[in-house]
Amino acid sequence: MPEISNQVRSIIEAVRQRGDKALCEFAQRFDKIRLQPRDLVVSARELKDARKKVSPAFLKAIQESARAIESFAREEKKRLLTQWTVTQGSARVGQLVRAVDSVGLYIPGGRFPYPSTVLMTAIPARIAGVQRIVMASPPKNLTPEVLAAAAYAGCETVFRVGGAGAIAAMAYGTERIPPVDFIVGPGNPYVTEAKRQVFGQVGIDSLAGPSEVVIIADRTAPVDAIQADLSAQAEHDPQARAVLFSTDAALITQVRRGIDPSIKNRIHLCRVKNLDAAFEEVNRIAPEHLELLIAKPERFLAKVRHAGAVFLGTSTPTAIGDYVAGPSHVLPTNRSARFSSGLSVATFLKRSSVIGFKARSSERSRWEAALTLAQTEGMKYHARSLRCRVAR
């Protein structure tokens, strides 16, 4: 939207021009909190003390979640491409795989604090080998639970900065906030627009939209479980969307009766003629979360082409993936699962090609092909660069 785009552009420019002072002004304007520049950085003491302010049950929960996330991340890393080279005649070609040097995590505020998102973003970055991990979040969102999760996950520094200003600060740097190479994490439309505008200055994971779930259910699925899973997704925010596809009209009627009227406008119940039709709709929507609450769901995985995450069976709600399954819950939204993936160790890795040639006569045909292409494109110095080395 032009209005949001223009507002974000002015915020980014203010941060670039006036740094920490602008961030403090935005904290007063948007968060209704008065900060001095020195207050933007959460002290090491505050991070340490946060653990003492949370319940033992919460600490146990984040430890359990972190173990699952780290285990999944380590298994993923084992299976990713690592450095490799192959020999082709006298040439050697291959790839280097390296982590980005620094990452900024954006942890949204708003209706709920999200310590789980701290774990789901920081731990894959750490396992990938990122050297410096920092975090920014709106001041009022930095509850003891969020700070305890940040300390546990290995965030080097935490900043009391929210919204588009936080994205600008991590992209361009301020007096107290050093710039990073890559920014990840969900946020409101202003945060998303800011990530779009700073892309190129830094890398970004995705442009997040409202949360969404699609459920395919048959008569084997408990009605109360379907109702709970639809409602769980709808409670994220007013723009969230939850969709049920089923061939069973009676099931849909039962589900409808138990939906909270206050969120029913976010929930859509659709009857389909068969499961093939349901999967056609799924692949059109390309949902963030897909629940297969059907008998023998593994048999249908081949039909899923586009989804951020797939949850198999009636004992696997999206909520388990939000917290303790292992894969990150930061997933593609707004149909972007058609061309992108959820946050993972791979998000933080980049590849460099490696090329080594020798000007041997056995490679003459390849050198001549390169020379011909350079001459055809009119690149005379490309041709000269090749000709002075061409195999004889």
Side-chain angles (χ1 to χ4, degrees):
M1 292 182 287
E3 182 180 350
I4 289 179
S5 179
N6 291 336
Q7 289 181 44
V8 167
R9 188 171 292 107
S10 67
I11 290 170
I12 291 173
E13 188 58 27
V15 172
R16 293 186 68 179
Q17 295 295 326
R18 296 188 291 113
D20 292 343
K21 184 176 180 182
L23 294 175
C24 291
E25 291 172 3
F26 292 137
Q28 174 75 39
R29 177 178 167 187
F30 298 121
D31 300 305
K32 310 303 179 189
I33 186 169
R34 190 179 298 276
L35 297 176
Q36 297 298 319
R38 64 178 178 273
D39 301 323
L40 295 172
V41 183
V42 176
S43 69
R45 168 69 66 178
E46 288 177 276
L47 282 172
K48 184 177 179 181
D49 288 349
R51 290 198 186 196
K52 303 174 184 177
K53 296 178 181 179
V54 300
S55 70
F58 176 78
L59 278 178
K60 183 178 179 181
I62 63 170
Q63 289 166 0
E64 185 70 28
S65 177
R67 275 195 295 269
I69 297 165
E70 182 164 336
S71 175
F72 181 86
R74 290 191 183 282
E75 288 300 320
E76 180 198 2
K77 189 175 182 181
K78 288 179 188 176
R79 290 159 173 77
L80 291 172
L81 285 177
T82 55
Q83 179 173 323
W84 61 272
T85 57
V86 296
T87 300
Q88 299 175 346
S90 67
R92 286 185 66 77
V93 295
Q95 283 187 339
L96 299 178
V97 179
R98 299 288 186 266
V100 297
D101 285 345
S102 57
V103 167
L105 315 177
Y106 185 78
I107 308 302
R111 303 173 73 223
F112 309 104
Y114 291 105
S116 58
T117 302
V118 179
L119 303 177
M120 294 283 183
T121 51
I123 292 173
R126 176 165 53 80
I127 298 303
V130 177
Q131 296 174 19
R132 181 166 62 90
I133 303 171
V134 303
M135 179 184 122
S137 193
K140 294 179 181 178
N141 188 55
L142 292 176
T143 63
E145 289 76 15
V146 169
L147 291 177
Y152 191 86
C155 294
E156 182 178 288
T157 314
V158 177
F159 302 107
R160 289 185 179 87
V161 187
I167 303 302
M170 291 191 289
Y172 295 101
T174 69
E175 297 89 337
R176 285 172 174 78
I177 301 177
V180 298
D181 299 313
F182 203 80
I183 296 174
V184 304
N188 65 22
Y190 291 87
V191 169
T192 300
E193 175 61 18
K195 288 171 72 176
R196 188 189 68 79
Q197 291 191 22
V198 302
F199 176 66
Q201 172 68 23
V202 293
I204 62 171
D205 56 341
S206 64
L207 299 174
S211 195
E212 59 202 16
V213 69
V214 170
I215 297 175
I216 299 178
D218 61 20
R219 64 185 62 188
T220 66
V223 171
D224 61 341
I226 299 171
Q227 292 167 340
D229 293 359
L230 291 168
S231 301
Q233 207 62 34
E235 76 176 335
H236 274 280
D237 59 66
Q239 284 74 48
R241 182 172 65 156
V243 180
L244 170 66
F245 292 114
S246 181
T247 60
D248 193 324
L251 178 70
I252 290 173
T253 299
Q254 288 178 288
V255 170
R256 181 176 287 112
R257 289 174 183 156
I259 297 298
D260 183 343
S262 67
I263 56 174
K264 68 178 183 180
N265 64 318
R266 307 172 201 171
I267 296 174
H268 307 276
L269 310 179
C270 309
R271 187 182 180 189
V272 288
K273 61 183 179 181
N274 53 44
L275 288 180
D276 283 343
F279 282 101
E280 285 179 15
E281 288 298 309
V282 162
N283 290 319
R284 180 185 63 80
I285 295 169
E288 178 185 15
H289 308 96
L290 170 62
E291 291 189 13
L292 302 183
L293 306 188
I294 53 181
K296 299 181 180 178
E298 295 86 355
R299 293 169 49 197
F300 295 90
L301 273 175
K303 294 182 179 292
V304 180
R305 297 197 312 277
H306 310 306
V310 184
F311 299 82
L312 300 175
T314 57
S315 296
T316 315
T318 296
I320 200 75
D322 284 343
Y323 299 118
V324 296
S328 178
H329 69 204
V330 179
L331 298 167
T333 58
N334 276 346
R335 300 189 70 226
S336 61
R338 292 174 298 127
F339 53 80
S340 65
S341 308
L343 184 145
S344 72
V345 169
T347 302
F348 305 100
L349 299 178
K350 53 193 177 62
R351 300 181 302 277
S352 301
S353 299
V354 177
I355 303 166
F357 266 69
K358 294 181 179 178
R360 293 179 179 171
S361 57
S362 61
E363 302 291 340
R364 186 175 184 84
S365 63
R366 203 185 311 197
W367 285 88
E368 289 179 346
L371 184 58
T372 297
L373 288 167
Q375 292 169 333
T376 300
E377 293 180 353
M379 308 293 280
K380 66 178 183 180
Y381 290 111
H382 279 61
R384 178 179 172 182
S385 174
L386 291 162
R387 194 178 291 112
C388 72
R389 294 177 173 86
V390 70
R392 300 182 184 280

